[in-house]
Amino acid sequence: MSWRIVVVSRRAKLDYQMGYMVVRNEEITKIHLGEISTVLIESTAVSLTACLLSELMKKKIKVIFCDEKRNPSSELVSYYGSHDTSNKVRCQIKWLPETKEAVWTEIVSEKIRKQKELLEYLGKEESELLSSYIREIQWNDETNREGHAAKVYFNALFGMSFTRTADILENAALNYGYAIILSAFTREITANGYITQLGLFHDNMFNQFNLASDLMEPFRILVDKKVAAMKLEEFTHQEKMEIVNLLNQEVRIDGKIQYVNNAVKIYCKSVFEALNDNDSSLIRFYSFEL
């Protein structure tokens, strides 16, 4: 099972050699592709061979590229993530509206529940208000309890003056973490043969990752918890690597301890089973140790 997150943060040449990714800079490092789940190209001074990129796609390894500010800006997504992609896409198009709404209701409820648990752990009295929002959630979250919960939640975490649009370190860290989590979900969606553009709730014509944006919602709290604990005075390479390492954090899912990377796989598979079998009770959510 792949588990390595390879971060290339300085000038290097990457190529492929007999099953290995070879990183050439002052030294030569070889990493077997079977161990890699994600490659994060943090520096724009990195060059890669087409052969390596092709092999990474065959192994369903997520490749994330950063811009000149070392922030995730794009990723490499395979056209065909599964041998039966055509059939999976046909099934995706036929998912029943009521089933998608039921799944979305479960996802939103779980997201707010995770937010409440984090606030409880931090001793924030606002957790009681989030408990009431969970009880008030209606079908497909028609009254937007998610939006109301988000305002209360972020103000409790980062202060009453905090807004998600402010140009501050906390938002930079949150956006970076969400981009990393989003990439993990796009990988699993495409690896299972589905397309990311067709979402359950998210339906933005300019968002190529609508489905990933839907499915990742309960996992955002892992990023929130990390950023809230960091007490940021700067947001540089070291802080970014702490956030990237979230994918190697351990959580409990389906009765077992798993790395977040593997929990994403288990959760995504359960969501697809729920959508295809018209049974939202099949979804398996993670729990974390606080």
Side-chain angles (χ1 to χ4, degrees):
M1 183 176 290
S2 57
W3 55 276
R4 284 185 184 274
I5 303 168
V6 179
V7 181
V8 187
S9 57
R10 52 182 175 158
R11 182 182 297 276
K13 180 179 179 180
L14 311 184
D15 58 37
Y16 175 77
Q17 189 178 89
M18 299 182 67
Y20 288 83
M21 181 175 77
V22 183
V23 182
R24 305 178 189 274
N25 40 40
E26 291 85 355
E27 299 178 352
I28 296 178
T29 304
K30 294 184 178 182
I31 309 168
H32 195 274
L33 296 190
E35 298 178 357
I36 304 173
S37 67
T38 303
V39 178
L40 176 62
I41 309 297
E42 193 183 29
S43 171
T44 56
V46 173
S47 61
L48 305 87
T49 65
C51 179
L52 173 63
L53 293 177
S54 177
E55 292 298 325
L56 291 172
M57 287 299 94
K58 289 178 184 177
K59 296 290 185 180
K60 302 178 184 179
I61 296 170
K62 172 62 65 178
V63 183
I64 305 171
F65 297 97
C66 294
D67 60 20
E68 70 281 359
K69 295 181 179 179
R70 297 179 180 267
N71 292 320
S73 61
S74 62
E75 59 187 43
L76 195 60
V77 179
S78 173
Y79 276 145
Y80 312 108
S82 174
H83 68 282
D84 59 348
T85 293
S86 297
N87 184 55
K88 292 289 184 61
V89 173
R90 281 194 289 268
C91 291
Q92 183 175 1
I93 293 171
K94 293 178 181 178
W95 286 341
L96 298 176
E98 55 267 31
T99 303
K100 292 193 289 185
E101 291 173 357
V103 169
W104 177 244
T105 305
E106 292 294 328
I107 289 174
V108 169
S109 300
E110 183 65 18
K111 177 185 180 181
I112 301 176
R113 190 173 296 111
K114 288 284 192 296
Q115 291 173 332
K116 174 188 75 74
E117 291 172 359
L118 178 55
L119 293 186
E120 281 180 343
Y121 169 74
L122 296 174
K124 304 288 186 180
E125 61 184 16
E126 290 88 347
S127 63
E128 289 301 317
L129 186 52
L130 264 63
S131 295
S132 70
Y133 287 154
I134 295 172
R135 294 191 295 270
E136 295 169 2
I137 287 180
Q138 297 182 14
W139 182 260
N140 203 33
D141 193 25
E142 291 179 349
T143 57
N144 193 28
R145 295 300 92 183
E146 180 196 14
H148 291 287
K151 179 174 176 55
V152 173
Y153 169 73
F154 281 115
N155 286 153
L157 277 184
F158 300 112
M160 293 303 296
S161 63
F162 176 85
T163 64
R164 280 288 289 128
T165 56
D167 185 13
I168 56 177
L169 293 176
E170 286 78 8
N171 275 327
L174 289 172
N175 292 338
Y176 189 91
Y178 294 157
I180 297 299
I181 295 292
L182 180 68
S183 71
F185 276 89
T186 60
R187 176 196 179 201
E188 286 310 309
I189 291 168
T190 55
N192 278 277
Y194 299 97
I195 56 178
T196 61
Q197 290 90 340
L198 300 180
L200 308 176
F201 175 79
H202 288 83
D203 191 30
N204 189 328
M205 64 182 290
F206 302 109
N207 182 5
Q208 297 189 38
F209 308 115
N210 284 313
L211 185 55
S213 299
D214 288 326
L215 270 54
M216 72 176 281
E217 293 291 359
F219 284 74
R220 288 178 179 267
I221 287 75
L222 295 172
V223 178
D224 304 337
K225 177 175 180 289
K226 181 65 177 178
V227 173
M230 291 174 77
K231 307 301 180 185
L232 293 167
E233 295 182 358
E234 59 181 359
F235 189 56
T236 57
H237 177 73
Q238 180 177 343
E239 289 76 24
K240 289 177 180 178
M241 292 308 97
E242 287 186 46
I243 292 176
V244 169
N245 198 46
L246 277 175
L247 296 177
N248 288 326
Q249 177 181 326
E250 290 184 342
V251 296
R252 180 175 293 276
I253 187 168
D254 205 21
K256 297 179 181 179
I257 299 296
Q258 300 279 2
Y259 292 120
V260 170
N261 247 335
N262 295 331
V264 169
K265 295 181 181 181
I266 295 168
Y267 163 70
C268 284
K269 184 177 180 181
S270 74
V271 171
F272 298 140
E273 289 174 351
L275 289 162
N276 290 320
D277 294 345
N278 301 316
D279 185 358
S280 61
S281 68
L282 295 175
I283 303 175
R284 300 195 291 277
F285 292 109
Y286 76 94
S287 61
F288 48 62
E289 298 296 328
L290 292 168

